[in-house]
Amino acid sequence: QVHLAQSGAEMKKPGASVRVSCKASGYTFTDYYIHWVRQAPGQGLEWMGWINPNSGDTNYAQNFQAWVTMTRDTFITTVYMDMRLGPGDTGVYYCARQALADSSFDHWGQGSLVTVSS
Amino acid sequence: SSELTQDPAVSVALGQTVTITCRGDSLRSYSATWYQQKPGEAPLFVIYGENNRPSGIPDRFSASRSGNTASLTITGAQAEDEADYYCSSRATRIFQPWLFGGGTKLTVL
């Protein structure tokens, strides 16, 4: 079955960088786009961007474009989200698989809590 | 700020019908996907396309779209339906091609 397994919680200082990983299993890794979504504490969902695991092409939301890089390693079916952190970047970061047929996210990782504190 | 607008909170009596709405210009061109999120859990998609339920989602969940408004209806709400619900759609803006609504907290009384 499809599974997206994310890396564990991180605590970082403002100005530091964090890497969150998302290991995919149970399907053909290169067939499906992976998206990243952030949820600040007590807040809603915020779309960050996507990566095409086949080509490595990416598309970032304007709010994240200067701070985020998404990459993938096809050999270990893992997608990475690297981010330079500011004070307001505390939240849970989710990876999600985009369905083939439409724009929905049909499987989600469990989420990775990133805490930014000085 | 979100370009899909949802009411922050809605309540429904157990067994009754409730509709959660989502408004935005992108909905004139794209269908909405609806996600359910319970505390401490990842979102779960409950409706995709115009009105399609993924496997395992009860048929009390349905959706519709008209003009700039998408709606999620729960017919005969159950206690386990208490959750946050988010709408999402594609958008035409190059630098923000996916949108989420701000979420609606559903309370089942």
Side-chain angles (χ1 to χ4, degrees):
Chain A
Q1 70 279 23
V2 176
H3 189 55
L4 300 176
Q6 297 187 224
S7 49
E10 301 263 12
M11 182 170 287
K12 297 285 186 180
K13 295 185 185 301
S17 292
V18 70
R19 165 167 280 196
V20 180
S21 66
C22 172
K23 180 168 175 59
S25 60
Y27 70 96
T28 302
F29 177 67
T30 50
D31 282 353
Y32 294 80
Y33 284 37
I34 293 289
H35 296 244
W36 289 89
V37 176
R38 180 172 77 178
Q39 188 167 37
Q43 302 299 310
L45 304 172
E46 185 177 17
W47 182 79
M48 300 176 65
W50 57 248
I51 182 167
N52 178 342
N54 185 41
S55 65
D57 289 344
T58 55
N59 187 2
Y60 305 132
Q62 192 166 23
N63 288 348
F64 293 95
Q65 203 164 17
W67 316 107
V68 166
T69 303
M70 298 175 189
T71 57
R72 92 293 189 211
D73 185 331
T74 56
F75 294 103
I76 58 170
T77 64
T78 299
V79 171
Y80 301 97
M81 191 279 295
D82 293 295
M83 185 171 178
R84 193 159 83 249
L85 297 166
D89 289 325
T90 292
V92 177
Y93 291 75
Y94 293 100
C95 62
R97 190 185 83 162
Q98 181 185 341
L100 278 179
D102 64 13
S103 61
S104 63
F105 302 144
D106 62 359
H107 290 85
W108 294 66
Q110 83 274 21
S112 298
L113 174 63
V114 176
T115 302
V116 183
S117 174
S118 54
Chain B
S1 65
S2 170
E3 295 179 32
L4 292 177
T5 302
Q6 298 181 240
D7 292 330
V10 170
S11 62
V12 61
L14 184 67
Q16 297 303 300
T17 297
V18 62
T19 297
I20 297 169
T21 59
C22 173
R23 293 181 175 83
D25 287 342
S26 64
L27 297 174
R28 298 185 185 278
S29 303
Y30 299 102
S31 61
T33 300
W34 290 93
Y35 299 94
Q36 176 193 71
Q37 187 181 35
K38 297 181 179 179
E41 297 183 4
L44 172 72
F45 83 141
V46 295
I47 292 285
Y48 67 97
E50 291 300 336
N51 183 20
N52 300 296
R53 282 177 291 106
S55 173
I57 301 302
D59 60 5
R60 63 178 178 271
F61 289 87
S62 63
S64 63
R65 180 171 65 111
S66 178
N68 73 336
T69 301
S71 301
L72 173 71
T73 297
I74 307 174
T75 304
Q78 302 299 303
E80 61 263 32
D81 300 334
E82 185 162 294
D84 294 326
Y85 290 86
Y86 294 91
C87 61
S88 177
S89 81
R90 291 294 301 273
T92 54
R93 293 174 60 193
I94 294 174
F95 295 113
Q96 190 65 40
W98 257 267
L99 299 171
F100 283 100
T104 297
K105 181 174 180 56
L106 175 66
T107 300
V108 180
L109 303 171

